Amino acid sequence: MKKLLPLFLSSILLISCNQKQEKPIDNTQFSAEEKIDSTKIKTLFNTALTEGKSYEWLRDLTQNIGGRLSGSPEAEKAVIWGEKLMKEVGLDSVWLQPVMVPHWVRGEKEVANYAINGVQKNVPICALGFSIATSKEGVLAEVIEVKSLEEATALGNKMKGKIIFFNRPFDNTLIKTFEAYGGCVDQRVKGAAVCGNFGAKGVIVRSMTNSVDDYPHTGTMSYADLPKEKHIPTAAISSRAANILSDDLKANPNLKFYFKQNCETLPDAPSFNVVGEIKGSETPENVFVVGGHLDSWDLAEGAHDDGTGIVQSLEVAYLFKKNNIKPKNTLRVVFFMNEENGTKGAKKYAELAKLNKENHIGALESDGGGHTPRGFSIDANTVNTKLLQSWKKLLSPYGLHDLYKGGSGADISPLKAENVTLVGYRPDSQRYFDYHHTSTDTFDKVNKRELELGSASMASIIYLMDKYLYNYTPVKP
């Protein structure tokens, strides 16, 4: 054994040394111009990972301002914060776009419980955005469990006087968790409109998450065209509570569920999009947008949703300036207001762009959290989609393997047109719905290195779009 020990230690040392020697990017498959691009992208990543600012910006936003629901004092503070920060980064111009936004407030903390076999069970619950309050006494009623809007509709008048419990979980076989979210979120958004029409007393919804835990997830809901007298209180319960309630209903179908919430929709409030730009050096009339949404839900600090998107978007401009990259087209950073419950900021931005006859040729949005970069989704014409996909060999060394046709983002989608290339930044999504719209969406859940890799990823594709895309995009007459 003593004779083998030196050999063993030498092997370990050799493995360790080999691991430390990162292989250089193979430029042999690149053209002369691509070699220039490869070097520039490497520089962007080096700068983000050694001199990045996004993590400390995020710390300031989340720790000193916190949750920023539209119309709130915190949202107002975030606007001031964003304007000041853009000026500190040294953008050529910074301004505020006025916009009226919805103003919904949660009020006192919600409560929920039910009794079974003489034992009271308290239930983690939170009101959904735009829901009405319960009466001061709360709502107490028998529960009917359903898995879909169609199943609820089929109940018809059997819903009268009952609380309808929507309990369709995520499909965890779907690798892209946003697809699982899309397969469930209709019950949160439309459940009250369906059930209120048949005289239900309230709706509770299983939280939108892959996890089974004790954290309820808020989110927006809608009464659609229901008259006010048919509006009913609506809330989400945690996924673990949903499982337990489902089991208890099988044992006691007549149990009565109680919940009380104190939310209210106030008159629309004045707010702003925060906008800053670096003027294009060759074709300044062409505009690229990079942005995220400044507002967040009120349960936590809005770190992954969407503080990370905000600071990454500004860091794109910071990385350009730090490396003396002068964009050919105008690079505009936008902190959109009111994505969570209305997208009024996005609509106002697009309205003003049209009014001012601005020629937007591309936009990039970060609103998928601050986890490890995976790539980008592309919403563009066929020519530009293929162009972006041709950059995979430049981007894949940084883990950016996904360049697929798909949606972009809620805040840039109003800019959609045949000659506008929209891109969504896509980090790994496996942990995102652990935090999405919950009290756990806090600064400590964000990894500094993952955040900075995301900033560099976004800066890299903007660099390529700015250099090549405008040559492929028809300019409006």
Side-chain angles (χ1 to χ4, degrees):
M1 181 64 186
K2 289 182 179 179
K3 292 181 180 179
L4 292 174
L5 186 58
L7 182 60
F8 173 74
L9 291 175
S10 298
S11 299
I12 293 295
L13 183 60
L14 180 62
I15 292 169
S16 177
C17 290
N18 287 339
Q19 286 177 337
K20 289 179 181 177
Q21 294 173 358
E22 182 175 305
K23 291 182 179 180
I25 294 170
D26 181 11
N27 279 341
T28 58
Q29 80 273 31
F30 292 155
S31 67
E33 198 64 30
E34 287 172 334
K35 288 179 182 178
I36 295 172
D37 297 335
S38 176
T39 300
K40 194 70 72 175
I41 290 170
K42 179 60 176 170
T43 299
L44 290 168
F45 272 86
N46 288 351
T47 305
L49 294 170
T50 59
E51 301 179 71
K53 301 289 187 182
S54 56
Y55 192 68
E56 291 307 316
W57 291 342
L58 182 65
R59 185 196 303 274
D60 189 23
L61 176 64
T62 56
Q63 304 288 278
N64 294 324
I65 297 177
R68 309 167 295 280
L69 194 57
S70 294
S72 69
E74 291 79 11
E76 185 177 351
K77 290 177 184 177
V79 167
I80 296 169
W81 172 89
E83 181 184 26
K84 180 173 180 287
L85 192 58
M86 284 189 184
K87 289 178 178 178
E88 288 176 359
V89 170
L91 302 190
D92 294 339
S93 54
V94 178
W95 67 96
L96 301 180
Q97 289 183 338
V99 57
M100 296 298 292
V101 297
H103 189 191
W104 179 86
V105 294
R106 185 171 302 279
E108 294 178 20
K109 185 173 175 58
E110 306 89 338
V111 296
N113 55 66
Y114 62 92
I116 186 165
N117 298 326
V119 177
Q120 179 173 299
K121 294 187 178 183
N122 295 321
V123 178
I125 192 169
C126 65
L128 294 178
F130 290 131
S131 175
I132 63 169
T134 62
S135 66
K136 291 182 179 180
E137 295 76 25
V139 172
L140 177 67
E142 291 183 355
V143 178
I144 301 177
E145 179 181 353
V146 296
K147 300 290 187 182
S148 67
L149 296 171
E150 292 75 18
E151 188 178 344
T153 302
L155 289 171
N157 291 326
K158 292 179 183 177
M159 286 191 270
K160 188 171 184 179
K162 302 293 196 297
I163 292 173
I164 307 305
F165 166 36
F166 285 91
N167 191 30
R168 183 165 79 257
F170 271 27
D171 180 352
N172 279 335
T173 67
L174 296 173
I175 303 303
K176 294 179 180 178
T177 61
F178 278 87
E179 292 182 2
Y181 176 71
C184 288
V185 74
D186 63 340
Q187 57 192 332
R188 188 195 77 197
V189 176
K190 301 177 181 178
V194 169
C195 301
N197 197 43
F198 291 99
K201 290 185 73 172
V203 161
I204 54 174
V205 181
R206 181 192 185 93
S207 284
M208 303 290 109
T209 178
N210 300 93
S211 300
V212 177
D213 58 34
D214 295 316
Y215 302 106
H217 294 230
T218 192
T220 194
M221 53 77 61
S222 171
Y223 293 111
D225 298 323
L226 279 186
K228 284 191 174 182
E229 62 269 18
K230 291 189 175 184
H231 290 190
I232 56 177
T234 310
I237 64 174
S238 72
S239 53
R240 193 189 311 280
N243 287 348
I244 294 170
L245 176 59
S246 183
D247 290 342
D248 286 342
L249 283 168
K250 291 179 178 67
N252 184 358
N254 298 317
L255 71 79
K256 290 187 175 182
F257 188 95
Y258 170 82
F259 74 107
K260 180 182 178 184
Q261 56 193 41
N262 304 278
C263 43
E264 181 182 8
T265 299
L266 301 173
D268 286 359
S271 191
F272 302 90
N273 293 326
V274 186
V275 186
E277 67 181 24
I278 300 173
K279 207 72 173 174
S281 60
E282 294 183 13
T283 49
E285 67 276 9
N286 292 340
V287 179
F288 280 107
V289 165
V290 57
H293 63 87
L294 190 54
D295 61 306
S296 74
W297 284 104
D298 56 318
L299 295 179
E301 299 168 359
H304 278 291
D305 189 19
D306 183 32
T308 54
I310 286 296
V311 298
Q312 287 172 329
S313 296
L314 184 56
E315 193 153 61
V316 170
Y318 164 78
L319 292 172
F320 269 55
K321 291 184 69 65
K322 188 73 175 176
N323 291 289
N324 199 32
I325 299 172
K326 300 183 188 301
K328 293 176 170 58
N329 308 281
T330 293
L331 175 59
R332 186 174 292 173
V333 180
V334 184
F335 296 171
F336 294 95
M337 182 56 71
N338 183 232
E339 186 273 345
E340 293 293 6
N341 59 346
T343 62
K344 291 295 181 67
K347 293 167 184 173
K348 175 58 70 172
Y349 180 86
E351 175 190 322
L352 291 174
K354 184 176 181 180
L355 182 67
N356 295 329
K357 298 182 179 178
E358 294 177 335
N359 188 44
H360 285 73
I361 61 173
L364 169 65
E365 182 169 343
S366 174
D367 187 18
H371 296 116
T372 302
R374 292 286 182 253
F376 303 93
S377 58
I378 306 164
D379 185 2
N381 60 44
T382 301
V383 171
N384 287 342
T385 298
K386 289 181 178 178
L387 175 65
L388 267 66
Q389 289 173 335
S390 75
W391 301 333
K392 185 173 181 178
K393 59 184 175 180
L394 288 166
L395 299 172
S396 60
Y398 304 94
L400 299 166
H401 299 286
D402 296 340
L403 290 166
Y404 57 89
K405 195 164 182 65
S408 55
D411 284 315
I412 62 174
S413 59
L415 296 171
K416 183 177 173 65
E418 176 63 21
N419 64 327
V420 181
T421 297
L422 304 180
V423 179
Y425 167 58
R426 300 300 175 207
D428 185 90
S429 67
Q430 304 312 315
R431 290 170 285 160
Y432 183 67
F433 289 100
D434 293 352
Y435 313 124
H436 180 254
H437 296 182
T438 74
S439 61
T440 63
D441 186 13
T442 50
F443 175 71
D444 60 295
K445 306 304 189 305
V446 177
N447 177 273
K448 180 176 183 291
R449 186 170 176 84
E450 289 179 320
L451 181 70
E452 292 165 347
L453 286 168
S455 299
S457 300
M458 292 167 61
S460 297
I461 200 164
I462 285 290
Y463 162 78
L464 293 169
M465 290 169 71
D466 175 69
K467 184 174 180 179
Y468 297 110
L469 189 63
Y470 75 109
N471 290 323
Y472 288 78
T473 306
V475 177
K476 291 184 291 187

